[in-house]
Amino acid sequence: MSDTVFRDVELPEGRRDVVMRGGIVADITAPGTAAGATIIDGRGGALLPGLHDHHLHLHAMAAAADSVRCGPPDVTDLDALESALVAAQGDWIRGVGYTETVGGLLDRASVDLLVPDRPVRIQHRSGALWILNSPASELVGLDRGTHPGIERDANGIPTGRLWRADDWLRAHLPHSPPPDLRAVGQQLTRSGITGVTDATPDLSSATLDALVTAHRIGAVPQRLQLLGVGIDDTPSFDDTITVGPYKIVIADSALPDLEDLADTIRRAHARRRPVAVHCVSRVALALLLAVFDDVGVLAGDRIEHGSIIGADAIADLAARGLRVVTQPGFVADRGDDYLRRVDAGDLPDLYRCRSLLAGGVHTAMSSDAPYGPLDPWVVIAAAVQRRAPTGEIVGAGERVTAADALDGYLAPLDDPGGPPRRVQVGADADLVLLDRPLADALAAPAAQRVRCTVIAGQVLVE
């Protein structure tokens, strides 16, 4: 078995040679002393453990790449939205990234005015809402639909808005194969990401099979943790794919019955499976904490997003041992919109980072791609700067150091917010080589470049 040597790379203990063998870090020696069949000259660049994105959506990322952009910065008003939709190719038009600043909260009638003669479905940039025009509504049988997320007017007629109804919509769309994930895997690899948590809830057997197949054929070489595997499902994977906490969505468009939520958490806990709860509002967090008071907390229980967390809730989160998987990249991506539309009293509580860490809450960084920016270095820069697209600062008190933000990407997939992984003998050879020393990379994280990404000892980018 031949060795691969990273020669003259920067580690916390200084410049060293790092030897990979059989998918693990086999040796760390003084610079210039290790020998191997393959030599990669680090030229003093930092060698880090591969980064982990603790919350994203792989199939949605692939689908978004082939969809019409319907929101800023590409589209900023209804005229531009109409032009983008009309120019789209194909029998169906799929739009993504819409937000109310473009033209208010769309419904069936307003999309009909833009495109009356072709089926159109537009996703809100939150991912929580789809809007269908009349041709699309007719083709999927919206009038006959029974999903609770199908919004209806006072006369019982569907408005074209579907809230948290992805599963229903997917089942009623014309059949199409799962999107090719190869470009997504390549994008992750170029960013230095070696492990991801797919946070899509309620994965169907076909979607689960497609994700597993994409990983096994190397389209997505990253290690996978899946939150959307059913509570009662027990699929068998190899050690590069794991079943994570069970994903639960608290949708603010239809808050759950407290007892139903408690029963779901109890069922997961009874199977020794933590839960990962989508929680984006103050009300949702209060409901969730009340339920945890009733059912108890299992090690590994986590809150997804934690978009608004009041200062008085931080100690409660820490005392319960709850983790928060957050996305400060949203501040950089849409902070100007937050400043206009979020209540001023909520702005200090938005996508907290520093206060959670200071309060002893295990906090991990993630992208929520495609709904937030994928690039981890952009997210790290956002956590440091808290700067909106307009240049305004959103929550200056929640700024963290670049080193702390990077640590949020270095935690194990099964321990988000836990101790950061380190390059050490015996560790998995999941590595990323930067083109500069770590201090320089942290001084300007958004400007850094990944030279080389390694997963299980296989060099994927060089």
mmCIF file of all heavy atoms in Angstrom, residues 164-214:
data_model
loop_
_atom_site.group_PDB
_atom_site.id
_atom_site.type_symbol
_atom_site.label_atom_id
_atom_site.label_comp_id
_atom_site.label_asym_id
_atom_site.label_seq_id
_atom_site.Cartn_x
_atom_site.Cartn_y
_atom_site.Cartn_z
ATOM 1 N N ARG A 164 -45.033 23.952 3.276
ATOM 2 C CA ARG A 164 -44.422 22.717 3.788
ATOM 3 C C ARG A 164 -45.097 21.480 3.199
ATOM 4 O O ARG A 164 -45.410 20.526 3.905
ATOM 5 C CB ARG A 164 -44.503 22.677 5.319
ATOM 6 C CG ARG A 164 -43.720 23.774 6.012
ATOM 7 C CD ARG A 164 -42.253 23.490 5.989
ATOM 8 N NE ARG A 164 -41.462 24.586 6.531
ATOM 9 C CZ ARG A 164 -40.149 24.707 6.375
ATOM 10 N NH1 ARG A 164 -39.491 23.786 5.680
ATOM 11 N NH2 ARG A 164 -39.495 25.716 6.886
ATOM 12 N N ALA A 165 -45.299 21.500 1.887
ATOM 13 C CA ALA A 165 -45.988 20.392 1.219
ATOM 14 C C ALA A 165 -45.114 19.788 0.122
ATOM 15 O O ALA A 165 -45.628 19.301 -0.880
ATOM 16 C CB ALA A 165 -47.317 20.874 0.639
ATOM 17 N N ASP A 166 -43.806 19.801 0.325
ATOM 18 C CA ASP A 166 -42.900 19.273 -0.693
ATOM 19 C C ASP A 166 -43.202 17.820 -1.032
ATOM 20 O O ASP A 166 -43.141 17.413 -2.204
ATOM 21 C CB ASP A 166 -41.447 19.389 -0.223
ATOM 22 C CG ASP A 166 -40.982 20.830 -0.103
ATOM 23 O OD1 ASP A 166 -41.657 21.596 0.595
ATOM 24 O OD2 ASP A 166 -39.954 21.165 -0.705
ATOM 25 N N ASP A 167 -43.494 17.015 -0.011
ATOM 26 C CA ASP A 167 -43.753 15.597 -0.252
ATOM 27 C C ASP A 167 -44.982 15.406 -1.127
ATOM 28 O O ASP A 167 -44.985 14.608 -2.075
ATOM 29 C CB ASP A 167 -43.890 14.842 1.075
ATOM 30 C CG ASP A 167 -44.912 15.464 2.025
ATOM 31 O OD1 ASP A 167 -45.322 16.625 1.789
ATOM 32 O OD2 ASP A 167 -45.298 14.796 3.014
ATOM 33 N N TRP A 168 -46.053 16.149 -0.840
ATOM 34 C CA TRP A 168 -47.277 16.044 -1.634
ATOM 35 C C TRP A 168 -47.023 16.513 -3.065
ATOM 36 O O TRP A 168 -47.418 15.853 -4.033
ATOM 37 C CB TRP A 168 -48.387 16.876 -0.997
ATOM 38 C CG TRP A 168 -49.710 16.749 -1.720
ATOM 39 C CD1 TRP A 168 -50.692 15.853 -1.438
ATOM 40 C CD2 TRP A 168 -50.151 17.517 -2.837
ATOM 41 N NE1 TRP A 168 -51.744 16.014 -2.322
ATOM 42 C CE2 TRP A 168 -51.437 17.022 -3.187
ATOM 43 C CE3 TRP A 168 -49.603 18.560 -3.579
ATOM 44 C CZ2 TRP A 168 -52.160 17.556 -4.254
ATOM 45 C CZ3 TRP A 168 -50.324 19.085 -4.645
ATOM 46 C CH2 TRP A 168 -51.604 18.591 -4.974
ATOM 47 N N LEU A 169 -46.352 17.651 -3.203
ATOM 48 C CA LEU A 169 -46.106 18.194 -4.543
ATOM 49 C C LEU A 169 -45.246 17.238 -5.359
ATOM 50 O O LEU A 169 -45.521 16.979 -6.543
ATOM 51 C CB LEU A 169 -45.428 19.566 -4.425
ATOM 52 C CG LEU A 169 -45.117 20.284 -5.744
ATOM 53 C CD1 LEU A 169 -46.404 20.496 -6.551
ATOM 54 C CD2 LEU A 169 -44.439 21.622 -5.471
ATOM 55 N N ARG A 170 -44.215 16.696 -4.741
ATOM 56 C CA ARG A 170 -43.317 15.779 -5.453
ATOM 57 C C ARG A 170 -44.083 14.565 -5.968
ATOM 58 O O ARG A 170 -43.845 14.092 -7.076
ATOM 59 C CB ARG A 170 -42.182 15.349 -4.518
ATOM 60 C CG ARG A 170 -41.043 14.628 -5.184
ATOM 61 C CD ARG A 170 -39.967 14.250 -4.177
ATOM 62 N NE ARG A 170 -39.464 15.423 -3.462
ATOM 63 C CZ ARG A 170 -39.648 15.645 -2.167
ATOM 64 N NH1 ARG A 170 -40.333 14.778 -1.429
ATOM 65 N NH2 ARG A 170 -39.165 16.727 -1.601
ATOM 66 N N ALA A 171 -45.027 14.076 -5.160
ATOM 67 C CA ALA A 171 -45.785 12.894 -5.548
ATOM 68 C C ALA A 171 -46.761 13.166 -6.688
ATOM 69 O O ALA A 171 -47.179 12.234 -7.386
ATOM 70 C CB ALA A 171 -46.550 12.348 -4.340
ATOM 71 N N HIS A 172 -47.123 14.430 -6.899
ATOM 72 C CA HIS A 172 -48.124 14.761 -7.909
ATOM 73 C C HIS A 172 -47.536 15.424 -9.150
ATOM 74 O O HIS A 172 -48.276 15.708 -10.103
ATOM 75 C CB HIS A 172 -49.205 15.657 -7.292
ATOM 76 C CG HIS A 172 -50.092 14.937 -6.319
ATOM 77 N ND1 HIS A 172 -49.703 14.671 -5.022
ATOM 78 C CD2 HIS A 172 -51.336 14.401 -6.462
ATOM 79 C CE1 HIS A 172 -50.671 14.028 -4.399
ATOM 80 N NE2 HIS A 172 -51.658 13.846 -5.243
ATOM 81 N N LEU A 173 -46.248 15.662 -9.152
ATOM 82 C CA LEU A 173 -45.599 16.204 -10.349
ATOM 83 C C LEU A 173 -45.339 15.099 -11.350
ATOM 84 O O LEU A 173 -45.270 13.916 -10.982
ATOM 85 C CB LEU A 173 -44.271 16.866 -9.958
ATOM 86 C CG LEU A 173 -44.351 18.197 -9.230
ATOM 87 C CD1 LEU A 173 -42.977 18.580 -8.686
ATOM 88 C CD2 LEU A 173 -44.883 19.293 -10.157
ATOM 89 N N PRO A 174 -45.192 15.425 -12.628
ATOM 90 C CA PRO A 174 -44.796 14.406 -13.605
ATOM 91 C C PRO A 174 -43.509 13.726 -13.149
ATOM 92 O O PRO A 174 -42.588 14.378 -12.652
ATOM 93 C CB PRO A 174 -44.567 15.216 -14.886
ATOM 94 C CG PRO A 174 -45.366 16.457 -14.707
ATOM 95 C CD PRO A 174 -45.347 16.756 -13.235
ATOM 96 N N HIS A 175 -43.462 12.418 -13.297
ATOM 97 C CA HIS A 175 -42.297 11.668 -12.817
ATOM 98 C C HIS A 175 -41.030 12.118 -13.547
ATOM 99 O O HIS A 175 -41.016 12.291 -14.754
ATOM 100 C CB HIS A 175 -42.503 10.174 -13.029
ATOM 101 C CG HIS A 175 -41.295 9.367 -12.652
ATOM 102 N ND1 HIS A 175 -40.928 9.171 -11.338
ATOM 103 C CD2 HIS A 175 -40.347 8.747 -13.416
ATOM 104 C CE1 HIS A 175 -39.825 8.441 -11.291
ATOM 105 N NE2 HIS A 175 -39.455 8.169 -12.540
ATOM 106 N N SER A 176 -39.998 12.294 -12.769
ATOM 107 C CA SER A 176 -38.693 12.614 -13.347
ATOM 108 C C SER A 176 -37.631 11.956 -12.480
ATOM 109 O O SER A 176 -37.829 11.776 -11.274
ATOM 110 C CB SER A 176 -38.459 14.131 -13.413
ATOM 111 O OG SER A 176 -38.525 14.707 -12.129
ATOM 112 N N PRO A 177 -36.512 11.595 -13.076
ATOM 113 C CA PRO A 177 -35.467 10.950 -12.285
ATOM 114 C C PRO A 177 -34.875 11.919 -11.278
ATOM 115 O O PRO A 177 -34.951 13.145 -11.460
ATOM 116 C CB PRO A 177 -34.434 10.537 -13.338
ATOM 117 C CG PRO A 177 -34.668 11.472 -14.483
ATOM 118 C CD PRO A 177 -36.137 11.749 -14.485
ATOM 119 N N PRO A 178 -34.284 11.415 -10.192
ATOM 120 C CA PRO A 178 -33.628 12.308 -9.232
ATOM 121 C C PRO A 178 -32.542 13.121 -9.925
ATOM 122 O O PRO A 178 -31.915 12.647 -10.887
ATOM 123 C CB PRO A 178 -33.017 11.334 -8.208
ATOM 124 C CG PRO A 178 -33.772 10.064 -8.378
ATOM 125 C CD PRO A 178 -34.157 9.999 -9.812
ATOM 126 N N PRO A 179 -32.320 14.344 -9.504
ATOM 127 C CA PRO A 179 -31.306 15.171 -10.156
ATOM 128 C C PRO A 179 -29.910 14.593 -9.980
ATOM 129 O O PRO A 179 -29.618 13.931 -8.972
ATOM 130 C CB PRO A 179 -31.441 16.528 -9.455
ATOM 131 C CG PRO A 179 -32.083 16.217 -8.143
ATOM 132 C CD PRO A 179 -32.967 15.044 -8.383
ATOM 133 N N ASP A 180 -29.071 14.817 -10.966
ATOM 134 C CA ASP A 180 -27.683 14.363 -10.914
ATOM 135 C C ASP A 180 -26.939 15.199 -9.874
ATOM 136 O O ASP A 180 -26.940 16.434 -9.937
ATOM 137 C CB ASP A 180 -27.050 14.540 -12.294
ATOM 138 C CG ASP A 180 -25.667 13.913 -12.392
ATOM 139 O OD1 ASP A 180 -25.042 13.670 -11.341
ATOM 140 O OD2 ASP A 180 -25.199 13.691 -13.526
ATOM 141 N N LEU A 181 -26.291 14.529 -8.930
ATOM 142 C CA LEU A 181 -25.618 15.214 -7.835
ATOM 143 C C LEU A 181 -24.122 15.406 -8.074
ATOM 144 O O LEU A 181 -23.422 15.899 -7.189
ATOM 145 C CB LEU A 181 -25.829 14.454 -6.527
ATOM 146 C CG LEU A 181 -27.265 14.414 -5.998
ATOM 147 C CD1 LEU A 181 -27.338 13.584 -4.727
ATOM 148 C CD2 LEU A 181 -27.790 15.820 -5.742
ATOM 149 N N ARG A 182 -23.641 15.050 -9.252
ATOM 150 C CA ARG A 182 -22.194 15.117 -9.477
ATOM 151 C C ARG A 182 -21.663 16.547 -9.325
ATOM 152 O O ARG A 182 -20.629 16.764 -8.695
ATOM 153 C CB ARG A 182 -21.853 14.559 -10.857
ATOM 154 C CG ARG A 182 -20.396 14.133 -11.008
ATOM 155 C CD ARG A 182 -20.213 13.328 -12.278
ATOM 156 N NE ARG A 182 -21.108 12.188 -12.321
ATOM 157 C CZ ARG A 182 -20.823 11.022 -11.770
ATOM 158 N NH1 ARG A 182 -19.674 10.842 -11.129
ATOM 159 N NH2 ARG A 182 -21.686 10.022 -11.848
ATOM 160 N N ALA A 183 -22.352 17.521 -9.901
ATOM 161 C CA ALA A 183 -21.881 18.902 -9.799
ATOM 162 C C ALA A 183 -21.919 19.389 -8.355
ATOM 163 O O ALA A 183 -21.047 20.163 -7.927
ATOM 164 C CB ALA A 183 -22.717 19.813 -10.697
ATOM 165 N N VAL A 184 -22.911 18.941 -7.588
ATOM 166 C CA VAL A 184 -22.988 19.306 -6.174
ATOM 167 C C VAL A 184 -21.799 18.738 -5.417
ATOM 168 O O VAL A 184 -21.146 19.434 -4.629
ATOM 169 C CB VAL A 184 -24.316 18.800 -5.561
ATOM 170 C CG1 VAL A 184 -24.295 18.951 -4.047
ATOM 171 C CG2 VAL A 184 -25.493 19.552 -6.155
ATOM 172 N N GLY A 185 -21.486 17.467 -5.664
ATOM 173 C CA GLY A 185 -20.333 16.860 -5.008
ATOM 174 C C GLY A 185 -19.043 17.582 -5.340
ATOM 175 O O GLY A 185 -18.188 17.792 -4.466
ATOM 176 N N GLN A 186 -18.895 17.992 -6.590
ATOM 177 C CA GLN A 186 -17.694 18.713 -6.994
ATOM 178 C C GLN A 186 -17.614 20.077 -6.312
ATOM 179 O O GLN A 186 -16.534 20.509 -5.881
ATOM 180 C CB GLN A 186 -17.669 18.871 -8.510
ATOM 181 C CG GLN A 186 -17.485 17.565 -9.263
ATOM 182 C CD GLN A 186 -17.714 17.701 -10.748
ATOM 183 O OE1 GLN A 186 -18.170 18.739 -11.239
ATOM 184 N NE2 GLN A 186 -17.424 16.642 -11.485
ATOM 185 N N GLN A 187 -18.743 20.749 -6.197
ATOM 186 C CA GLN A 187 -18.761 22.052 -5.536
ATOM 187 C C GLN A 187 -18.375 21.922 -4.064
ATOM 188 O O GLN A 187 -17.608 22.737 -3.528
ATOM 189 C CB GLN A 187 -20.152 22.677 -5.673
ATOM 190 C CG GLN A 187 -20.251 24.117 -5.187
ATOM 191 C CD GLN A 187 -21.640 24.696 -5.388
ATOM 192 O OE1 GLN A 187 -22.587 23.993 -5.737
ATOM 193 N NE2 GLN A 187 -21.776 25.987 -5.174
ATOM 194 N N LEU A 188 -18.902 20.908 -3.401
ATOM 195 C CA LEU A 188 -18.545 20.674 -2.004
ATOM 196 C C LEU A 188 -17.054 20.396 -1.873
ATOM 197 O O LEU A 188 -16.375 20.931 -0.986
ATOM 198 C CB LEU A 188 -19.343 19.493 -1.459
ATOM 199 C CG LEU A 188 -20.859 19.695 -1.301
ATOM 200 C CD1 LEU A 188 -21.545 18.358 -1.088
ATOM 201 C CD2 LEU A 188 -21.168 20.643 -0.155
ATOM 202 N N THR A 189 -16.529 19.572 -2.757
ATOM 203 C CA THR A 189 -15.123 19.201 -2.693
ATOM 204 C C THR A 189 -14.222 20.414 -2.909
ATOM 205 O O THR A 189 -13.225 20.596 -2.198
ATOM 206 C CB THR A 189 -14.812 18.118 -3.740
ATOM 207 O OG1 THR A 189 -15.656 16.986 -3.505
ATOM 208 C CG2 THR A 189 -13.367 17.671 -3.656
ATOM 209 N N ARG A 190 -14.580 21.253 -3.867
ATOM 210 C CA ARG A 190 -13.767 22.455 -4.122
ATOM 211 C C ARG A 190 -13.747 23.391 -2.920
ATOM 212 O O ARG A 190 -12.814 24.190 -2.766
ATOM 213 C CB ARG A 190 -14.291 23.198 -5.354
ATOM 214 C CG ARG A 190 -14.001 22.496 -6.678
ATOM 215 C CD ARG A 190 -14.248 23.435 -7.845
ATOM 216 N NE ARG A 190 -15.626 23.879 -7.914
ATOM 217 C CZ ARG A 190 -16.587 23.268 -8.592
ATOM 218 N NH1 ARG A 190 -16.322 22.137 -9.243
ATOM 219 N NH2 ARG A 190 -17.817 23.755 -8.617
ATOM 220 N N SER A 191 -14.774 23.316 -2.079
ATOM 221 C CA SER A 191 -14.839 24.177 -0.896
ATOM 222 C C SER A 191 -14.131 23.580 0.309
ATOM 223 O O SER A 191 -14.102 24.193 1.373
ATOM 224 C CB SER A 191 -16.310 24.454 -0.536
ATOM 225 O OG SER A 191 -16.968 25.130 -1.578
ATOM 226 N N GLY A 192 -13.597 22.373 0.174
ATOM 227 C CA GLY A 192 -12.921 21.720 1.295
ATOM 228 C C GLY A 192 -13.857 20.979 2.223
ATOM 229 O O GLY A 192 -13.478 20.642 3.354
ATOM 230 N N ILE A 193 -15.072 20.687 1.763
ATOM 231 C CA ILE A 193 -16.067 19.991 2.591
ATOM 232 C C ILE A 193 -15.945 18.494 2.363
ATOM 233 O O ILE A 193 -16.061 18.016 1.229
ATOM 234 C CB ILE A 193 -17.483 20.470 2.260
ATOM 235 C CG1 ILE A 193 -17.627 21.955 2.627
ATOM 236 C CG2 ILE A 193 -18.527 19.648 3.005
ATOM 237 C CD1 ILE A 193 -18.932 22.580 2.174
ATOM 238 N N THR A 194 -15.727 17.744 3.443
ATOM 239 C CA THR A 194 -15.562 16.293 3.341
ATOM 240 C C THR A 194 -16.695 15.521 4.005
ATOM 241 O O THR A 194 -16.717 14.293 3.930
ATOM 242 C CB THR A 194 -14.218 15.865 3.957
ATOM 243 O OG1 THR A 194 -14.214 16.198 5.355
ATOM 244 C CG2 THR A 194 -13.047 16.549 3.273
ATOM 245 N N GLY A 195 -17.620 16.210 4.647
ATOM 246 C CA GLY A 195 -18.751 15.547 5.275
ATOM 247 C C GLY A 195 -19.943 16.479 5.325
ATOM 248 O O GLY A 195 -19.776 17.686 5.538
ATOM 249 N N VAL A 196 -21.144 15.951 5.096
ATOM 250 C CA VAL A 196 -22.350 16.778 5.100
ATOM 251 C C VAL A 196 -23.467 16.074 5.843
ATOM 252 O O VAL A 196 -23.537 14.837 5.879
ATOM 253 C CB VAL A 196 -22.829 17.118 3.667
ATOM 254 C CG1 VAL A 196 -21.763 17.891 2.918
ATOM 255 C CG2 VAL A 196 -23.227 15.870 2.894
ATOM 256 N N THR A 197 -24.350 16.887 6.411
ATOM 257 C CA THR A 197 -25.596 16.396 6.983
ATOM 258 C C THR A 197 -26.727 16.869 6.101
ATOM 259 O O THR A 197 -26.960 18.077 5.983
ATOM 260 C CB THR A 197 -25.792 16.908 8.419
ATOM 261 O OG1 THR A 197 -24.782 16.342 9.260
ATOM 262 C CG2 THR A 197 -27.160 16.517 8.951
ATOM 263 N N ASP A 198 -27.391 15.928 5.437
ATOM 264 C CA ASP A 198 -28.562 16.286 4.641
ATOM 265 C C ASP A 198 -29.756 16.398 5.585
ATOM 266 O O ASP A 198 -30.140 15.425 6.240
ATOM 267 C CB ASP A 198 -28.833 15.240 3.561
ATOM 268 C CG ASP A 198 -29.940 15.688 2.619
ATOM 269 O OD1 ASP A 198 -31.107 15.684 3.056
ATOM 270 O OD2 ASP A 198 -29.640 16.048 1.468
ATOM 271 N N ALA A 199 -30.318 17.610 5.651
ATOM 272 C CA ALA A 199 -31.367 17.894 6.630
ATOM 273 C C ALA A 199 -32.767 17.824 6.042
ATOM 274 O O ALA A 199 -33.720 18.271 6.679
ATOM 275 C CB ALA A 199 -31.128 19.279 7.247
ATOM 276 N N THR A 200 -32.906 17.256 4.855
ATOM 277 C CA THR A 200 -34.224 17.132 4.245
ATOM 278 C C THR A 200 -35.084 16.182 5.057
ATOM 279 O O THR A 200 -34.668 15.050 5.329
ATOM 280 C CB THR A 200 -34.095 16.605 2.807
ATOM 281 O OG1 THR A 200 -33.163 17.430 2.095
ATOM 282 C CG2 THR A 200 -35.435 16.612 2.107
ATOM 283 N N PRO A 201 -36.284 16.599 5.469
ATOM 284 C CA PRO A 201 -37.112 15.717 6.300
ATOM 285 C C PRO A 201 -37.848 14.673 5.464
ATOM 286 O O PRO A 201 -38.033 14.828 4.253
ATOM 287 C CB PRO A 201 -38.099 16.689 6.942
ATOM 288 C CG PRO A 201 -38.253 17.784 5.931
ATOM 289 C CD PRO A 201 -36.899 17.925 5.281
ATOM 290 N N ASP A 202 -38.248 13.611 6.108
ATOM 291 C CA ASP A 202 -39.175 12.626 5.533
ATOM 292 C C ASP A 202 -38.723 12.142 4.166
ATOM 293 O O ASP A 202 -39.460 12.227 3.171
ATOM 294 C CB ASP A 202 -40.587 13.224 5.438
ATOM 295 C CG ASP A 202 -41.105 13.697 6.780
ATOM 296 O OD1 ASP A 202 -40.882 12.989 7.785
ATOM 297 O OD2 ASP A 202 -41.715 14.777 6.844
ATOM 298 N N LEU A 203 -37.520 11.610 4.098
ATOM 299 C CA LEU A 203 -37.004 11.106 2.828
ATOM 300 C C LEU A 203 -37.819 9.894 2.375
ATOM 301 O O LEU A 203 -37.997 8.939 3.134
ATOM 302 C CB LEU A 203 -35.540 10.691 2.982
ATOM 303 C CG LEU A 203 -34.532 11.816 3.266
ATOM 304 C CD1 LEU A 203 -33.166 11.218 3.568
ATOM 305 C CD2 LEU A 203 -34.452 12.795 2.099
ATOM 306 N N SER A 204 -38.310 9.942 1.134
ATOM 307 C CA SER A 204 -38.976 8.771 0.577
ATOM 308 C C SER A 204 -37.934 7.694 0.300
ATOM 309 O O SER A 204 -36.727 7.965 0.244
ATOM 310 C CB SER A 204 -39.694 9.137 -0.721
ATOM 311 O OG SER A 204 -38.740 9.463 -1.734
ATOM 312 N N SER A 205 -38.387 6.464 0.099
ATOM 313 C CA SER A 205 -37.443 5.390 -0.183
ATOM 314 C C SER A 205 -36.687 5.657 -1.472
ATOM 315 O O SER A 205 -35.483 5.373 -1.567
ATOM 316 C CB SER A 205 -38.186 4.051 -0.262
ATOM 317 O OG SER A 205 -39.193 4.089 -1.269
ATOM 318 N N ALA A 206 -37.357 6.245 -2.477
ATOM 319 C CA ALA A 206 -36.680 6.540 -3.739
ATOM 320 C C ALA A 206 -35.615 7.615 -3.556
ATOM 321 O O ALA A 206 -34.511 7.513 -4.105
ATOM 322 C CB ALA A 206 -37.704 6.976 -4.785
ATOM 323 N N THR A 207 -35.939 8.653 -2.777
ATOM 324 C CA THR A 207 -34.970 9.725 -2.550
ATOM 325 C C THR A 207 -33.797 9.218 -1.733
ATOM 326 O O THR A 207 -32.636 9.545 -2.015
ATOM 327 C CB THR A 207 -35.647 10.904 -1.831
ATOM 328 O OG1 THR A 207 -36.742 11.375 -2.628
ATOM 329 C CG2 THR A 207 -34.665 12.046 -1.623
ATOM 330 N N LEU A 208 -34.077 8.413 -0.715
ATOM 331 C CA LEU A 208 -33.007 7.842 0.089
ATOM 332 C C LEU A 208 -32.098 6.964 -0.769
ATOM 333 O O LEU A 208 -30.864 7.068 -0.692
ATOM 334 C CB LEU A 208 -33.603 7.025 1.240
ATOM 335 C CG LEU A 208 -32.624 6.297 2.152
ATOM 336 C CD1 LEU A 208 -31.663 7.277 2.823
ATOM 337 C CD2 LEU A 208 -33.383 5.501 3.212
ATOM 338 N N ASP A 209 -32.691 6.130 -1.601
ATOM 339 C CA ASP A 209 -31.895 5.271 -2.479
ATOM 340 C C ASP A 209 -31.024 6.106 -3.411
ATOM 341 O O ASP A 209 -29.859 5.762 -3.671
ATOM 342 C CB ASP A 209 -32.804 4.359 -3.298
ATOM 343 C CG ASP A 209 -33.445 3.255 -2.468
ATOM 344 O OD1 ASP A 209 -32.987 3.029 -1.328
ATOM 345 O OD2 ASP A 209 -34.405 2.633 -2.956
ATOM 346 N N ALA A 210 -31.580 7.211 -3.922
ATOM 347 C CA ALA A 210 -30.819 8.057 -4.839
ATOM 348 C C ALA A 210 -29.625 8.703 -4.137
ATOM 349 O O ALA A 210 -28.535 8.800 -4.713
ATOM 350 C CB ALA A 210 -31.730 9.130 -5.434
ATOM 351 N N LEU A 211 -29.815 9.146 -2.898
ATOM 352 C CA LEU A 211 -28.709 9.738 -2.150
ATOM 353 C C LEU A 211 -27.614 8.706 -1.883
ATOM 354 O O LEU A 211 -26.419 8.989 -2.052
ATOM 355 C CB LEU A 211 -29.218 10.318 -0.829
ATOM 356 C CG LEU A 211 -30.059 11.585 -0.907
ATOM 357 C CD1 LEU A 211 -30.655 11.919 0.459
ATOM 358 C CD2 LEU A 211 -29.224 12.765 -1.405
ATOM 359 N N VAL A 212 -28.024 7.532 -1.457
ATOM 360 C CA VAL A 212 -27.043 6.482 -1.160
ATOM 361 C C VAL A 212 -26.293 6.077 -2.424
ATOM 362 O O VAL A 212 -25.062 5.920 -2.416
ATOM 363 C CB VAL A 212 -27.749 5.265 -0.519
ATOM 364 C CG1 VAL A 212 -26.790 4.086 -0.386
ATOM 365 C CG2 VAL A 212 -28.313 5.650 0.849
ATOM 366 N N THR A 213 -27.014 5.947 -3.520
ATOM 367 C CA THR A 213 -26.367 5.585 -4.784
ATOM 368 C C THR A 213 -25.391 6.657 -5.227
ATOM 369 O O THR A 213 -24.270 6.349 -5.675
ATOM 370 C CB THR A 213 -27.425 5.352 -5.872
ATOM 371 O OG1 THR A 213 -28.280 4.271 -5.482
ATOM 372 C CG2 THR A 213 -26.771 5.025 -7.208
ATOM 373 N N ALA A 214 -25.781 7.920 -5.107
ATOM 374 C CA ALA A 214 -24.883 9.014 -5.499
ATOM 375 C C ALA A 214 -23.587 8.973 -4.707
ATOM 376 O O ALA A 214 -22.505 9.252 -5.238
ATOM 377 C CB ALA A 214 -25.583 10.355 -5.309
#
